[in-house]
Amino acid sequence: MMPKIVNVRTVTVIGFEMSGTQEEIAAMRPEWTARFLEAASQISGQTDGHLMDICLKRAGQLYTHCIGMEVNQIDIIPAGMTSLTVPPGSYALLEFHGEGEEIPFAFRTILQWAREHKVRLDTNEFRINVKIAEGHHHLYWRLADKRTEAVEEAV
């Protein structure tokens, strides 16, 4: 399936954050995911229970990710977890059917599609992998905010 542009509403997430290079995060992801799934029952206000892996930002070679799930309100944040807000806006969405280790290649599909269609993606690589079911993922990549880019260019 080809990516498409969709509008995403504000989403509140509770989960564990981790930082490192892409390789370090890939190595840590299974342990952090298992740790999160063990603690997920402590999270109140869960919406659909879909596991989310969010790339929050990139600074050089370092990335910050969050393994979490959407909540409709924040009552209590379990120990060691954090809350964050996924900003509303336009995102490229790819509905992906495949294995977890193929997801980086699927994000490259979004990148290639964006280049071909002259769609500007967020330079901080704000990306979201929502696991809908085993082997079924919704992959989002935030589009560049033209207003923010204009301010950055003016400074």
Side-chain angles (χ1 to χ4, degrees):
M1 178 165 202
M2 294 299 297
K4 61 184 176 183
I5 297 175
V6 297
N7 287 318
V8 172
R9 62 178 168 70
T10 300
V11 175
T12 303
V13 175
I14 292 180
F16 289 121
E17 278 191 28
M18 58 184 163
S19 295
T21 65
Q22 285 184 323
E23 295 79 18
E24 291 168 339
I25 288 176
M28 290 187 294
R29 185 174 283 118
E31 177 187 335
W32 280 78
T33 300
R35 184 176 155 206
F36 175 78
L37 291 173
E38 287 175 12
S41 63
Q42 300 172 33
I43 301 172
S44 62
Q46 298 178 27
T47 58
D48 54 23
H50 295 309
L51 184 66
M52 301 173 80
D53 181 346
I54 305 168
C55 178
L56 299 168
K57 64 183 172 187
R58 180 190 67 162
Q61 296 299 313
L62 295 178
Y63 291 79
T64 301
H65 277 247
C66 178
I67 302 286
M69 66 176 45
E70 181 182 359
V71 295
N72 53 25
Q73 85 275 343
I74 298 174
D75 291 329
I76 298 172
I77 300 173
M81 292 191 193
T82 187
S83 67
L84 63 100
T85 301
V86 172
S90 297
Y91 290 72
L93 164 64
L94 176 66
E95 292 188 34
F96 174 70
H97 297 274
E99 299 304 317
E101 56 272 1
E102 299 172 51
I103 289 172
F105 301 106
F107 273 115
R108 286 190 202 121
T109 299
I110 295 173
L111 183 59
Q112 183 63 35
W113 170 85
R115 287 178 179 152
E116 291 170 4
H117 291 85
K118 308 235 183 308
V119 173
R120 294 182 48 87
L121 299 172
D122 180 74
T123 56
N124 288 319
E125 297 189 31
F126 191 96
R127 298 171 294 173
I128 306 168
N129 167 11
V130 180
K131 183 177 179 181
I132 304 299
E134 196 61 43
H136 181 196
H137 301 260
H138 287 182
L139 306 178
Y140 297 86
W141 194 322
R142 187 172 185 197
L143 300 187
D145 182 346
K146 293 178 181 146
R147 290 175 296 182
T148 302
E149 285 184 347
V151 169
E152 289 172 357
E153 288 174 12
V155 173

